Amino acid sequence: MVEHQDAADNLNPFSDIRSSNTTMNYQKQSGFDMGFEKDAGFQDSGKKASSESFERKASNNIVPIKGPIGLDIGTANIVVAHNSSNDIKTHMQLNAFFTIPYSSITGKTLSNDGVLFFHKNEDLYILGDSAENFANMFGGNTRRPIEKGILNPKENESISVIKAIINKLITKPQKKNERICFSIPGNPIDGPASVVFHESIIKRHLINMGYVAESINEGLAVILSELSGSNFTGIGISMGAGMCNVCFAYLSVPIIAYSVQKGGDYIDAMVGNSVNEPPTKIKVIKEQDLDLSVEPKNLIETGLHIYYDDLFSTLSQSLQKVLGSSDNVPRLSKAIPLVLSGGTVLPRGVKKQFIKALKNIRLPVKISDILIAEKPLNATAKGALVMAASEEADM
Ligand SMILES: Nc1ncnc2c1ncn2[C@@H]1O[C@H](COP(=O)(O)OP(=O)(O)O)[C@@H](O)[C@H]1O
Ligand SMILES: [Mg+2]
């Protein structure tokens, strides 16, 4: 498909089990029992029916993931990375939910089908990848527990949903002192939001599960995943759905980290607005057809080019502003690499367009090369795993 992806497929030991078969196996083997913890907000009646059947299914197939673990909690996706037979394996679930009215028969049917859900009040909350299938069938949209990178205060159940999806991807630790490192955004420079609440909620949940948990800035995780060649000195940018995370690190020490609350969702919404089409339609076209290296063929593609340019211009301006005004940037004689990651960098032509945007700004450091992460959807989780593994080795 895309040039850098094809190349990466040959090089990278990652395996992504998003494909339907393997995902189904994984659903069954993951620790469903933990998806129904007390504070996840289940009503007794629903909880009993659903959790019992999940446990039954799960008990046949549990193959727990062994720590250390890297966990990427993004607006669109939650990704787990762990070591398995000298390989790094990743597993992904959509960070989404969809509600349907509760009935006993539907609850039982969903349990039998291995769908992850919980029951609260009058609703069944369908979680993760299954949420999208249901949304498509019912002609609605999935909802998100995270908005623009941070726990969504507009969704009452966002905390329960995110905990349940995490519990679907990872089991309780097998031994004492197992480490998990989870990604958090930098504070946004373009909004009042703070990551403190978001970080604490996730950390407490992971500690309650039994892990030794610590957070890592998402941009730094990308650097740990991709820039070992420059001794973890460089700029990492993760362009996701809800935001872009930027980190400048020197020898693995984060010197500057921040986020911009624009990303793939912003592109979908703005193009949709401009051409009077739903963002969901724009997203599909963007993910399937967009090639930024060729002239747009129609109005939607034109809009996608315009808003990609807008995003790259916002990002490069932010780099100039933040790095340029910081006293912390060390004087480096050598040029440093800049690596781009996240789902939003997947279209062909991203690198060229980003270089164009960088030509319009001045930075206090020289950039040697612009790189695209080998697996843009997995790099954050892999970097978090690198951090967790390094800490565990020290213990
Ligand atoms: N092939 C693609 N082309 C363009 N955008 C893509 C592609 N695949 C995924 N995306 C976009 O990437 C974003 C999700 O990337 P991800 O890094 O997982 O985000 P997050 O970290 O916010 O969960 C979404 O906005 C999605 O539309
Ligand atoms: Mg991300």
Side-chain angles (χ1 to χ4, degrees):
M1 201 181 88
V2 182
E3 220 173 84
H4 58 256
Q5 278 180 286
D6 290 343
D9 282 336
N10 297 329
L11 293 171
N12 200 299
F14 283 11
S15 72
D16 183 333
I17 62 156
R18 193 64 172 272
S19 68
S20 54
N21 275 346
T22 42
T23 302
M24 283 304 290
N25 289 340
Y26 194 74
Q27 283 175 348
K28 287 177 194 165
Q29 75 195 23
S30 300
F32 287 113
D33 50 339
M34 289 180 299
F36 301 93
E37 63 192 319
K38 283 195 195 83
D39 65 344
F42 301 101
Q43 275 206 333
D44 271 343
S45 56
K47 178 182 170 186
K48 215 160 183 191
S50 52
S51 61
E52 275 173 5
S53 32
F54 274 137
E55 278 163 16
R56 199 174 53 241
K57 258 183 178 294
S59 63
N60 296 332
N61 289 289
I62 287 183
V63 182
I65 289 176
K66 287 201 188 82
I69 294 173
L71 177 63
D72 167 16
I73 300 179
T75 306
N77 295 299
I78 299 190
V79 188
V80 164
H82 65 107
N83 292 308
S84 169
S85 340
N86 294 331
D87 258 1
I88 293 175
K89 292 256 189 294
T90 58
H91 310 290
M92 182 188 273
Q93 278 286 323
L94 278 181
N95 195 359
F97 66 102
F98 187 76
T99 53
I100 56 173
Y102 171 76
S103 79
S104 163
I105 178 85
T106 310
K108 282 178 194 146
T109 313
L110 295 183
S111 301
N112 290 335
D113 211 43
V115 174
L116 184 79
F117 69 96
F118 63 77
H119 167 206
K120 180 150 191 218
N121 299 333
E122 301 304 314
D123 290 317
L124 292 171
Y125 288 68
I126 318 278
L127 308 172
D129 291 358
S130 306
E132 189 149 278
N133 301 336
F134 274 80
N136 290 338
M137 276 182 297
F138 284 79
N141 290 324
T142 54
R143 287 152 64 188
R144 296 251 187 85
I146 287 190
E147 188 186 46
K148 294 186 176 177
I150 293 173
L151 270 171
N152 187 352
K154 289 181 229 142
E155 293 288 3
N156 288 337
E157 299 307 325
S158 58
I159 295 174
S160 308
V161 168
I162 211 145
K163 287 178 178 178
I165 299 175
I166 290 174
N167 293 346
K168 177 179 170 61
L169 284 164
I170 56 176
T171 52
K172 280 182 178 160
Q174 306 304 297
K175 55 181 176 28
K176 238 183 140 191
N177 292 330
E178 251 180 62
R179 290 222 162 223
I180 190 162
C181 184
F182 64 100
S183 64
I184 53 159
N187 277 324
I189 53 164
D190 51 351
S194 154
V195 303
V196 174
F197 181 76
H198 171 100
E199 177 182 5
S200 302
I201 292 287
I202 292 161
K203 187 168 187 170
R204 290 160 79 119
H205 177 61
L206 296 170
I207 289 172
N208 283 343
M209 283 177 83
Y211 285 98
V212 178
E214 65 170 340
S215 62
I216 182 170
N217 171 270
E218 177 162 350
L220 178 62
V222 169
I223 291 171
L224 295 190
S225 166
E226 306 298 312
L227 295 186
S228 58
S230 68
N231 240 344
F232 308 118
T233 295
I235 297 174
I237 303 183
S238 176
M239 300 190 197
M243 54 163 47
C244 292
N245 268 283
V246 181
C247 179
F248 167 66
Y250 180 62
L251 299 175
S252 83
V253 180
I255 307 290
I256 289 170
Y258 66 90
S259 66
V260 173
Q261 285 186 302
K262 273 184 179 179
D265 289 348
Y266 169 81
I267 292 173
D268 304 341
M270 297 308 285
V271 176
N273 258 341
S274 310
V275 300
N276 200 24
E277 294 281 3
T280 41
K281 179 174 170 185
I282 305 295
K283 180 170 177 277
V284 171
I285 293 170
K286 177 189 76 177
E287 292 181 2
Q288 287 177 358
D289 299 329
L290 182 62
D291 182 345
L292 294 170
S293 66
V294 295
E295 283 301 306
K297 295 186 289 294
N298 53 46
L299 203 56
I300 291 181
E301 286 186 11
T302 306
L304 285 166
H305 280 239
I306 289 171
Y307 279 101
Y308 256 93
D309 281 351
D310 175 70
L311 178 65
F312 292 167
S313 157
T314 304
L315 270 173
S316 44
Q317 298 290 339
S318 77
L319 277 172
Q320 170 167 292
K321 192 169 156 204
V322 178
L323 267 62
S325 64
S326 167
D327 298 330
N328 297 340
V329 179
R331 277 193 204 146
L332 300 172
S333 52
K334 262 172 72 181
I336 59 167
L338 184 156
V339 59
L340 301 176
S341 184
T344 295
V345 308
L346 283 169
R348 194 184 288 271
V350 154
K351 180 168 162 177
K352 202 165 152 210
Q353 291 308 113
F354 194 79
I355 290 173
K356 236 187 193 170
L358 276 189
K359 288 204 168 126
N360 296 325
I361 56 144
R362 291 176 71 85
L363 293 176
V365 284
K366 278 205 193 91
I367 304 295
S368 58
D369 204 2
I370 309 286
L371 309 166
I372 303 281
E374 284 192 349
K375 290 262 181 177
L377 289 167
N378 295 344
T380 301
K382 183 190 167 194
L385 171 61
V386 169
M387 177 69 109
S390 158
E391 302 279 341
E392 196 165 286
D394 283 350
M395 281 170 41

